[in-house]
Structure formats: C-alpha cells, structure tokens
Amino acid sequence: MAGEFLEAFALVFTAEIGDKTQLMLMTLSAKYTVMQMLLGILLGVFINHGAAVVIGCCLSNVIQGELLQIFAGFIFVIFGILTIVYEEEEGKKKSFKFGPVITTALTFLLGEIGDKTQLTAMTLAMEADYPALVLTGSVSGMLAIGLVGIIIGTSLTKRIPSNIIRIISGLVFIIFGLMRFIDK
C-alpha cells in the first residue's frame, strides 16, 4: 500500500527536476510568497494529476493530448507576454487579475497537461490497487520539488534585479509555449 505512494512520489519528484514547471516556479518566486505558491501548486497539481488518475482508472487508452498541448502552448505564450509587459507602479506590485495562488495553480495545471509527470500518474493509476495513494504521492512529489524550486528562485531574486527576472520569466513562458507547438 505505501509502495504506491512512494513510487509515485519518487517518480514525480525525479521527473520534475529541472523540468519547465520547476523553472517557471523559480521565476514566479520573484513575485509571490512561498505559501501562495505552495497553495497554487497544490491546487493546480491536484486538479491536473487528479484528472490523470481518473483517466488512468477509467479510460486508459483515450487521450487527445495534441489539442491540449496546443492550448497550453498558447496560454504559456500569453503568460510570457503578460509577464514581460508587467511593471511595478509607484512602488506597488501589480498582479495578474487572478491573484498569486490562482496564477501559480494555472501555471501548474496547464504546464503539466500531457507532461511526463501527468502521464506517470495516469500510468501508475492504471495498475494501482489504491489510486488515491498514487494521487497523494504524485502531488506530494510536486510539492516537494516545487519547494526546492521556490528556495532556489527566492535566492536568485536577492541577487538579480527584478526587471531582469521579469524579462527572463516572460521569455521562459514564451519558449515553453512555443516548444508545445514545435513538438507537434
């Protein structure tokens, strides 16, 4: 029973090291608090991997990933453009109108569509006796590696000016969005 949790945790944690969503998380850490980001990760990954587990349990061979990849690519490009044009106003930070938790959640929800960690959760759920443990393990793995990304991102923001981080962040979103189109 604990084996399903540990397997999901280890596979997701390992697969996410250096992945695009972890890199994007590092850039979001320039704007949001650790708690806001962890709540966003929890929400986004729970929905994303929860859907994967349900699909894995019910419809193991039915996925229209290409359309979802194109949609996610489009959204990432938009996030990138918004991030680049985002500026501070009179010492107050403006925020996307969704707020920090929802912005982080959407980043993870869209970023993980068709990603190896979502497919891992789905594949493990297909064979699981306890699919809820697969979901718990995969979400816990994402939270753990997300925390690592937040720590790294926070330390970088202390050394690099915010306008440079904003531009790099926007470019990261745009590059990963365009990669979704190129992979098709």
Side-chain angles (χ1 to χ4, degrees):
M1 193 155 93
E4 291 178 349
F5 172 86
L6 292 174
E7 182 179 28
F9 180 93
L11 286 172
V12 167
F13 185 91
T14 304
E16 214 37 44
I17 294 173
D19 193 62
K20 66 188 171 304
T21 46
Q22 186 186 29
L23 295 173
M24 285 185 248
L25 182 61
M26 288 181 202
T27 62
L28 290 174
S29 67
K31 300 180 201 175
Y32 307 134
T33 68
V34 172
M35 190 54 67
Q36 291 169 328
M37 294 176 64
L38 288 176
L39 287 172
I41 294 168
L42 177 64
L43 179 62
V45 173
F46 182 78
I47 293 168
N48 183 287
H49 287 202
V53 167
V54 169
I55 290 169
C57 290
C58 299
L59 306 168
S60 62
N61 293 324
V62 179
I63 299 176
Q64 292 185 334
E66 188 171 316
L67 181 60
L68 293 174
Q69 291 287 336
I70 291 169
F71 176 73
F74 179 71
I75 296 299
F76 278 145
V77 170
I78 290 172
F79 272 13
I81 292 168
L82 289 173
T83 300
I84 289 172
V85 299
Y86 166 89
E87 293 182 29
E88 291 184 16
E89 186 178 274
E90 296 178 23
K92 281 180 23 179
K93 287 188 175 183
K94 291 193 289 185
S95 180
F96 293 120
K97 64 180 175 179
F98 296 119
V101 173
I102 300 300
T103 299
T104 304
L106 286 172
T107 298
F108 271 78
L109 177 63
L110 296 171
E112 292 300 310
I113 291 175
D115 193 65
K116 62 188 168 229
T117 53
Q118 185 187 40
L119 297 175
T120 298
M122 182 173 30
T123 303
L124 292 173
M126 285 183 217
E127 304 169 343
D129 292 326
Y130 303 98
L133 288 177
V134 171
L135 177 59
T136 305
S138 69
V139 170
S140 298
M142 289 295 280
L143 283 170
I145 196 67
L147 183 58
V148 171
I150 292 168
I151 292 167
I152 292 169
T154 303
S155 67
L156 287 178
T157 61
K158 293 177 183 172
R159 296 185 180 101
I160 300 172
S162 62
N163 63 332
I164 303 268
I165 292 171
R166 180 177 44 82
I167 292 168
I168 291 170
S169 174
L171 291 174
V172 167
F173 276 103
I174 291 169
I175 289 167
F176 285 117
L178 293 174
M179 286 173 56
R180 299 244 182 202
F181 297 125
I182 294 169
D183 285 344
K184 296 296 141 221

